[in-house]
Amino acid sequence: MTEPLLGRSINRLEDERFVRGRGHYIADHAAPNALHGMVVRSIHAHARIVVIQSESAKQIPGVVAVLTGMDMATDDIGSLPCAATHIPMTTPLVIPPYHALARDTVRYVGEPIAFVVAEDAESARDAAEAVVVDYRPLRPVIALADTVLPETPRIWPEATNNIAFQFNRGEIGPVEAAIRSAAHIVECELINNRVVAAPLETRGALGEFDAASNRMHLTASAAGAHGIRDQLADSVFRIPREKLRVSIPDVGGGFGMKNVLYPEWVLVLWAARRLGRPVKWIGDRSEDFLASAHGRDSIAHARLALDCDGRLLALETRVLANLGAYVSTVAPLVPTMAMASAMGGVYDIPLIAFETRGVFTNTTPVDAYRGAGKPEANYLIERLIDIAAAELGMDALELRRKNIFRRFPHPSAMGLTVEQGSFAYSIDHAIATTTGFEARRKTSRAGGLLRGLGYACFLETARGQPNEVAELGFGEDGRIDLKVGTHSNGQGHETTYAQIAADALGLPIERFRFRQGDTDDLDRGGGHGGARSMHQGGTALVMAAEGLIENGRKLAARLLQTTVDAVHYEAGILRVATTGQEISLDDVARASYQMPRDEFAPGLVYQATHLCDRYTFPNGCHVAEVEIDPATGHVTLDRYSIFDDYGRLLDPRLTLGQVHGGVVQGIGQALFEHACFDAETGQILTGSLMDYALPRAGDIPSFEGRLTSDFPSHANRLGVKGSGQAGAIAAPPTIMNAVMNALGPLGVRHLDMPVTPCRVWQAIQTARLRSPDGPLE
């Protein structure tokens, strides 16, 4: 019997090959006789295409083809589909055609116009620069707040006032009545700033076509192979799914952005089929900023009603969510169902009315980014709590304590039943980290600096796509193949899934060979996203292990000439207790390859499907201390503490690493990151790492705190709760509350993310003009 692995922190199995440079990414992937593609992109945010002149480009040595939208139309290639059409919208969802190459009109800077294919990347780049496009510029719609104004031009004729959809959840009448009769009403407008995912590895793809089998093969830096396969086969190429294989190698980060179906995936496959040779495209960092899906970008107007004792009575929220120029893969889901599921956070708010309007702008399409709707919902309620406390003279922490829900299961006003949580527990532990704050504030003040303390609770509704598939089976070499329908882009799946399988079978972890991201390995799979991998896929793997053992028992009974019920399994051995006979699982697996396939599966392989649409509810309380230099506006994040509940911890160190990564991305959104466009031209102003600020190691303090495993989930057999998104949900309001706590004594009442030195300095100067004798003057 091997020592149990679950609950222990072990070294990640995948790290040795990564640190030794043995990872296999899309740029490492080669195909014989492959051509290289380069995308010609729009330089305008909104313009008619008059003519595309490509003759000069075609004359460059090495150029094989210059393909345009008209060629794509001739070949009857379909547009990119939206995978979120099932949402119960208040108004019909408008989905304009999203072609892989623009045909008559371009609608954002960076939109693909032509695809140049050449013998080498340098020739393709030269030819792309030689393509001349004659445009007739149109007025772009850039500012989110202006999109729905009557005088604003329509981006799509079928979208009145540029509105793609309206979504409502909750009854507005009772909410408005509660607000009218409330003792206190707090109102605010909050902007959730647009961000760029900026993974370490940019996107890339290789398309191949086998004429003999009439089968295409896409290899891409992506996530969710099966979803991408299904969308491409069903809607774009309109072929049977078995005629398209999608495989995904190692992925260097994605954060939701790589779950999306992109024009380039269509282009490499289409060009490979058309030209009869493999076609490879590797995007550069500039293309990632221009044309990879952005995240967040919404404006929320909210009213919160409280009684005279500070009890929350009702919440009304109206959101304007930016979709960009097209309806991207799951974009409508983010500000609707996903955001609604987390609306109100950990607080017992009896009445909530939530409305979202998704709108088009002439900007890069927006889609899922780490947390996808949950950070926006949590930011709203946690900032509202602090605003209410400041306006009503209440203690922000006590206001939270008074309103968290404590009895479980708890039916939320948005229709979910929260199974359990540890909200009071997390708050109690978070408070302990603030010891000595007043002394630190006094020291900061003595140095002419401002210090602030901020809290934020969070509740995530983690599930992602329902259901998942996993498969276990012995290979002929004796190793056990472990296949799952989710996909890692840095989370450590290769380690954690092996821990689960090793414990389930009682075998050494070295025996397992992890496989993922290939539609030829598994016919179904939900990919990663929504913090679902262990909740959905981990349980499927436990079921697959049980099925493999059952297959082993059946064959062992045949080999030992006994009944199946007499055979018991433990740690690699199948034993008959009454006779003492035994046989190893390895021997049974070897024998399975000699048995009739209609009786026994070769390798004892078993595929399990975990049918589950239940959510898990990760939660916690974070605390931040910031120090602000009023002379420059610079904000230093000095301390950050985490007290979170993720249910059973399969590998505590891996879980903590996931949380830390999410917190750092939340810190980036709060303090540094903002994807900006020129209001007149729609040109992206933050199109490179020279202009788009990401947090560096020196900006991040050492994190304190702990994760509790005292509250396992009842939604899955492992007792886990998703941890992949939580840090990005909790960090923005925590930091913003700390910043506003520091600036409050000066009379600064509101700032939007990111709180850059310029914004903070300007707010301080404005406050001093209003009150020249205020603090620190």
Side-chain angles (χ1 to χ4, degrees), residues 144 187-193 297-303 315-321 339 343 354-356 376-377 379-381 384 750 752:
L144 177 56
E187 296 191 48
C188 72
E189 177 181 291
L190 296 173
I191 294 174
N192 221 283
N193 43 314
D297 202 355
S298 63
I299 302 173
H301 299 262
R303 293 192 295 170
L315 171 65
E316 179 193 4
T317 305
R318 299 181 187 273
V319 174
L320 204 61
M339 190 172 179
M343 188 61 61
F354 170 53
E355 175 187 288
T356 294
E376 293 92 320
Y379 182 70
L380 177 73
I381 189 60
L384 271 171
H750 175 73
D752 279 313

Short mmCIF file of all heavy atoms in Angstrom, two decimals, residues 144 187-193 297-303 315-321 339 343 354-356 376-377 379-381 384 750 752:
data_model
loop_
_atom_site.label_atom_id
_atom_site.label_comp_id
_atom_site.label_asym_id
_atom_site.label_seq_id
_atom_site.Cartn_x
_atom_site.Cartn_y
_atom_site.Cartn_z
N LEU A 144 -17.77 53.40 -23.96
CA LEU A 144 -18.83 52.49 -23.55
C LEU A 144 -20.10 53.24 -23.15
O LEU A 144 -21.21 52.85 -23.53
CB LEU A 144 -18.34 51.62 -22.38
CG LEU A 144 -19.33 50.64 -21.75
CD1 LEU A 144 -19.92 49.71 -22.79
CD2 LEU A 144 -18.65 49.86 -20.64
N GLU A 187 -25.90 54.98 -3.25
CA GLU A 187 -25.82 54.86 -4.71
C GLU A 187 -24.38 55.03 -5.16
O GLU A 187 -23.60 55.75 -4.54
CB GLU A 187 -26.68 55.93 -5.40
CG GLU A 187 -28.16 55.79 -5.14
CD GLU A 187 -28.99 56.69 -6.04
OE1 GLU A 187 -28.72 56.69 -7.26
OE2 GLU A 187 -29.87 57.39 -5.54
N CYS A 188 -24.03 54.34 -6.23
CA CYS A 188 -22.69 54.51 -6.78
C CYS A 188 -22.67 54.09 -8.25
O CYS A 188 -23.56 53.40 -8.73
CB CYS A 188 -21.66 53.68 -5.99
SG CYS A 188 -21.79 51.91 -6.26
N GLU A 189 -21.63 54.56 -8.95
CA GLU A 189 -21.33 54.10 -10.30
C GLU A 189 -19.90 53.58 -10.27
O GLU A 189 -18.98 54.30 -9.87
CB GLU A 189 -21.46 55.22 -11.32
CG GLU A 189 -21.08 54.79 -12.73
CD GLU A 189 -21.20 55.92 -13.75
OE1 GLU A 189 -22.35 56.32 -14.03
OE2 GLU A 189 -20.15 56.38 -14.22
N LEU A 190 -19.71 52.35 -10.68
CA LEU A 190 -18.39 51.72 -10.63
C LEU A 190 -18.01 51.21 -12.01
O LEU A 190 -18.82 50.58 -12.69
CB LEU A 190 -18.40 50.55 -9.64
CG LEU A 190 -18.65 50.90 -8.17
CD1 LEU A 190 -18.79 49.63 -7.35
CD2 LEU A 190 -17.52 51.77 -7.62
N ILE A 191 -16.78 51.49 -12.38
CA ILE A 191 -16.24 51.01 -13.65
C ILE A 191 -15.33 49.83 -13.39
O ILE A 191 -14.45 49.88 -12.54
CB ILE A 191 -15.47 52.13 -14.37
CG1 ILE A 191 -16.42 53.26 -14.78
CG2 ILE A 191 -14.73 51.58 -15.59
CD1 ILE A 191 -15.73 54.46 -15.37
N ASN A 192 -15.57 48.75 -14.12
CA ASN A 192 -14.66 47.61 -14.09
C ASN A 192 -13.80 47.70 -15.34
O ASN A 192 -14.29 47.46 -16.45
CB ASN A 192 -15.46 46.30 -14.04
CG ASN A 192 -14.83 45.30 -13.10
OD1 ASN A 192 -13.83 44.69 -13.44
ND2 ASN A 192 -15.42 45.15 -11.92
N ASN A 193 -12.55 48.07 -15.16
CA ASN A 193 -11.68 48.42 -16.27
C ASN A 193 -11.34 47.23 -17.16
O ASN A 193 -11.23 46.10 -16.71
CB ASN A 193 -10.39 49.06 -15.77
CG ASN A 193 -9.79 48.35 -14.58
OD1 ASN A 193 -10.48 48.01 -13.63
ND2 ASN A 193 -8.48 48.14 -14.60
N ASP A 297 -14.48 45.16 -18.48
CA ASP A 297 -15.00 46.32 -19.22
C ASP A 297 -16.51 46.47 -19.07
O ASP A 297 -17.29 46.07 -19.95
CB ASP A 297 -14.63 46.26 -20.70
CG ASP A 297 -14.67 47.66 -21.35
OD1 ASP A 297 -15.08 48.61 -20.66
OD2 ASP A 297 -14.26 47.79 -22.51
N SER A 298 -16.92 47.04 -17.96
CA SER A 298 -18.34 47.31 -17.74
C SER A 298 -18.50 48.52 -16.83
O SER A 298 -17.58 48.91 -16.12
CB SER A 298 -19.03 46.09 -17.12
OG SER A 298 -18.49 45.79 -15.84
N ILE A 299 -19.70 49.08 -16.88
CA ILE A 299 -20.09 50.17 -15.99
C ILE A 299 -21.32 49.70 -15.23
O ILE A 299 -22.29 49.23 -15.83
CB ILE A 299 -20.43 51.45 -16.76
CG1 ILE A 299 -19.24 51.91 -17.61
CG2 ILE A 299 -20.85 52.57 -15.80
CD1 ILE A 299 -19.57 53.08 -18.53
N ALA A 300 -21.28 49.82 -13.90
CA ALA A 300 -22.41 49.37 -13.08
C ALA A 300 -22.96 50.55 -12.28
O ALA A 300 -22.20 51.29 -11.64
CB ALA A 300 -21.96 48.27 -12.12
N HIS A 301 -24.25 50.74 -12.35
CA HIS A 301 -24.96 51.69 -11.51
C HIS A 301 -25.73 50.88 -10.47
O HIS A 301 -26.49 49.97 -10.82
CB HIS A 301 -25.95 52.54 -12.33
CG HIS A 301 -25.29 53.35 -13.40
ND1 HIS A 301 -24.97 54.68 -13.25
CD2 HIS A 301 -24.87 53.01 -14.65
CE1 HIS A 301 -24.40 55.12 -14.35
NE2 HIS A 301 -24.34 54.13 -15.22
N ALA A 302 -25.56 51.21 -9.20
CA ALA A 302 -26.16 50.37 -8.15
C ALA A 302 -26.76 51.22 -7.05
O ALA A 302 -26.28 52.32 -6.75
CB ALA A 302 -25.12 49.42 -7.58
N ARG A 303 -27.83 50.68 -6.45
CA ARG A 303 -28.43 51.27 -5.25
C ARG A 303 -28.57 50.17 -4.21
O ARG A 303 -29.07 49.08 -4.50
CB ARG A 303 -29.81 51.87 -5.56
CG ARG A 303 -29.76 53.08 -6.48
CD ARG A 303 -31.11 53.81 -6.51
NE ARG A 303 -32.16 52.98 -7.10
CZ ARG A 303 -33.45 53.30 -7.07
NH1 ARG A 303 -33.85 54.40 -6.42
NH2 ARG A 303 -34.35 52.52 -7.63
N LEU A 315 -30.94 45.34 -3.22
CA LEU A 315 -29.87 45.77 -4.11
C LEU A 315 -30.42 45.85 -5.53
O LEU A 315 -31.02 44.88 -6.03
CB LEU A 315 -28.70 44.80 -4.06
CG LEU A 315 -27.58 44.98 -5.08
CD1 LEU A 315 -26.85 46.31 -4.87
CD2 LEU A 315 -26.59 43.82 -5.02
N GLU A 316 -30.23 46.99 -6.16
CA GLU A 316 -30.58 47.15 -7.57
C GLU A 316 -29.31 47.46 -8.35
O GLU A 316 -28.56 48.36 -7.98
CB GLU A 316 -31.58 48.29 -7.76
CG GLU A 316 -31.96 48.49 -9.23
CD GLU A 316 -32.71 49.80 -9.48
OE1 GLU A 316 -32.86 50.59 -8.54
OE2 GLU A 316 -33.10 50.02 -10.63
N THR A 317 -29.09 46.71 -9.40
CA THR A 317 -27.87 46.88 -10.21
C THR A 317 -28.23 46.92 -11.68
O THR A 317 -28.97 46.06 -12.17
CB THR A 317 -26.89 45.73 -9.97
OG1 THR A 317 -26.60 45.62 -8.58
CG2 THR A 317 -25.60 45.97 -10.72
N ARG A 318 -27.70 47.93 -12.38
CA ARG A 318 -27.86 48.02 -13.83
C ARG A 318 -26.46 48.12 -14.43
O ARG A 318 -25.67 48.99 -14.06
CB ARG A 318 -28.70 49.24 -14.22
CG ARG A 318 -30.12 49.19 -13.65
CD ARG A 318 -30.94 50.40 -14.07
NE ARG A 318 -32.23 50.42 -13.40
CZ ARG A 318 -33.32 49.80 -13.85
NH1 ARG A 318 -33.24 49.09 -14.97
NH2 ARG A 318 -34.46 49.86 -13.17
N VAL A 319 -26.17 47.22 -15.36
CA VAL A 319 -24.82 47.09 -15.91
C VAL A 319 -24.84 47.31 -17.41
O VAL A 319 -25.75 46.84 -18.11
CB VAL A 319 -24.24 45.69 -15.59
CG1 VAL A 319 -22.89 45.49 -16.27
CG2 VAL A 319 -24.10 45.50 -14.08
N LEU A 320 -23.84 48.03 -17.89
CA LEU A 320 -23.57 48.18 -19.31
C LEU A 320 -22.27 47.43 -19.58
O LEU A 320 -21.22 47.81 -19.05
CB LEU A 320 -23.44 49.65 -19.68
CG LEU A 320 -23.72 50.06 -21.13
CD1 LEU A 320 -25.14 49.72 -21.53
CD2 LEU A 320 -23.45 51.55 -21.31
N ALA A 321 -22.35 46.35 -20.34
CA ALA A 321 -21.19 45.47 -20.55
C ALA A 321 -20.71 45.57 -21.99
O ALA A 321 -21.50 45.42 -22.93
CB ALA A 321 -21.56 44.03 -20.22
N MET A 339 -22.36 36.55 -13.79
CA MET A 339 -22.37 37.67 -12.86
C MET A 339 -23.55 37.58 -11.90
O MET A 339 -23.42 37.85 -10.70
CB MET A 339 -22.40 38.99 -13.63
CG MET A 339 -22.16 40.22 -12.77
SD MET A 339 -21.99 41.72 -13.78
CE MET A 339 -21.74 42.95 -12.51
N MET A 343 -24.03 37.69 -7.60
CA MET A 343 -24.52 39.01 -7.19
C MET A 343 -24.97 38.98 -5.72
O MET A 343 -25.73 38.11 -5.31
CB MET A 343 -25.69 39.41 -8.10
CG MET A 343 -26.17 40.84 -7.90
SD MET A 343 -24.90 42.10 -8.24
CE MET A 343 -24.53 41.78 -9.96
N PHE A 354 -31.37 42.66 -10.98
CA PHE A 354 -30.13 42.78 -11.74
C PHE A 354 -30.47 42.88 -13.22
O PHE A 354 -31.23 42.07 -13.75
CB PHE A 354 -29.25 41.56 -11.46
CG PHE A 354 -28.05 41.42 -12.33
CD1 PHE A 354 -27.14 42.45 -12.47
CD2 PHE A 354 -27.80 40.23 -13.01
CE1 PHE A 354 -26.01 42.32 -13.27
CE2 PHE A 354 -26.68 40.08 -13.81
CZ PHE A 354 -25.78 41.13 -13.95
N GLU A 355 -29.91 43.90 -13.88
CA GLU A 355 -30.11 44.08 -15.31
C GLU A 355 -28.77 44.31 -15.99
O GLU A 355 -27.95 45.08 -15.50
CB GLU A 355 -31.03 45.27 -15.59
CG GLU A 355 -31.18 45.59 -17.08
CD GLU A 355 -31.94 46.87 -17.33
OE1 GLU A 355 -33.17 46.86 -17.11
OE2 GLU A 355 -31.32 47.88 -17.72
N THR A 356 -28.56 43.63 -17.09
CA THR A 356 -27.37 43.83 -17.90
C THR A 356 -27.77 44.09 -19.34
O THR A 356 -28.64 43.38 -19.88
CB THR A 356 -26.44 42.60 -17.87
OG1 THR A 356 -25.92 42.42 -16.57
CG2 THR A 356 -25.27 42.78 -18.82
N GLU A 376 -16.63 40.95 -11.20
CA GLU A 376 -17.42 42.17 -11.37
C GLU A 376 -18.52 42.25 -10.31
O GLU A 376 -18.77 43.31 -9.72
CB GLU A 376 -18.05 42.17 -12.76
CG GLU A 376 -17.03 42.31 -13.90
CD GLU A 376 -16.54 40.99 -14.45
OE1 GLU A 376 -16.30 40.06 -13.64
OE2 GLU A 376 -16.38 40.87 -15.68
N ALA A 377 -19.20 41.12 -10.05
CA ALA A 377 -20.26 41.10 -9.04
C ALA A 377 -19.70 41.35 -7.65
O ALA A 377 -20.26 42.11 -6.84
CB ALA A 377 -21.00 39.77 -9.08
N TYR A 379 -16.85 42.80 -6.81
CA TYR A 379 -16.33 44.17 -6.69
C TYR A 379 -17.45 45.14 -6.35
O TYR A 379 -17.31 46.01 -5.50
CB TYR A 379 -15.65 44.56 -8.00
CG TYR A 379 -15.03 45.95 -7.99
CD1 TYR A 379 -13.90 46.21 -7.24
CD2 TYR A 379 -15.58 46.98 -8.75
CE1 TYR A 379 -13.32 47.47 -7.23
CE2 TYR A 379 -15.02 48.24 -8.74
CZ TYR A 379 -13.90 48.48 -7.98
OH TYR A 379 -13.33 49.74 -7.97
N LEU A 380 -18.58 44.95 -7.00
CA LEU A 380 -19.72 45.84 -6.79
C LEU A 380 -20.19 45.81 -5.34
O LEU A 380 -20.30 46.85 -4.69
CB LEU A 380 -20.85 45.43 -7.73
CG LEU A 380 -22.14 46.22 -7.61
CD1 LEU A 380 -21.97 47.60 -8.18
CD2 LEU A 380 -23.27 45.49 -8.31
N ILE A 381 -20.47 44.63 -4.80
CA ILE A 381 -21.05 44.57 -3.46
C ILE A 381 -20.02 44.95 -2.40
O ILE A 381 -20.36 45.62 -1.41
CB ILE A 381 -21.66 43.17 -3.18
CG1 ILE A 381 -22.44 43.19 -1.86
CG2 ILE A 381 -20.59 42.10 -3.16
CD1 ILE A 381 -23.59 44.17 -1.83
N LEU A 384 -19.67 48.66 -2.41
CA LEU A 384 -20.89 49.24 -1.85
C LEU A 384 -20.91 49.16 -0.33
O LEU A 384 -21.34 50.11 0.34
CB LEU A 384 -22.12 48.52 -2.41
CG LEU A 384 -22.71 49.05 -3.72
CD1 LEU A 384 -23.76 48.08 -4.24
CD2 LEU A 384 -23.29 50.45 -3.55
N HIS A 750 -14.19 58.84 -4.11
CA HIS A 750 -14.33 57.81 -5.14
C HIS A 750 -13.16 57.85 -6.11
O HIS A 750 -12.71 58.92 -6.53
CB HIS A 750 -15.63 58.00 -5.93
CG HIS A 750 -15.77 57.03 -7.07
ND1 HIS A 750 -16.04 55.69 -6.88
CD2 HIS A 750 -15.65 57.21 -8.42
CE1 HIS A 750 -16.09 55.08 -8.06
NE2 HIS A 750 -15.86 55.98 -9.00
N ASP A 752 -11.83 55.11 -9.52
CA ASP A 752 -12.01 53.86 -10.25
C ASP A 752 -10.66 53.19 -10.48
O ASP A 752 -9.61 53.84 -10.47
CB ASP A 752 -12.68 54.12 -11.61
CG ASP A 752 -14.19 54.28 -11.48
OD1 ASP A 752 -14.82 53.44 -10.80
OD2 ASP A 752 -14.74 55.24 -12.07
#
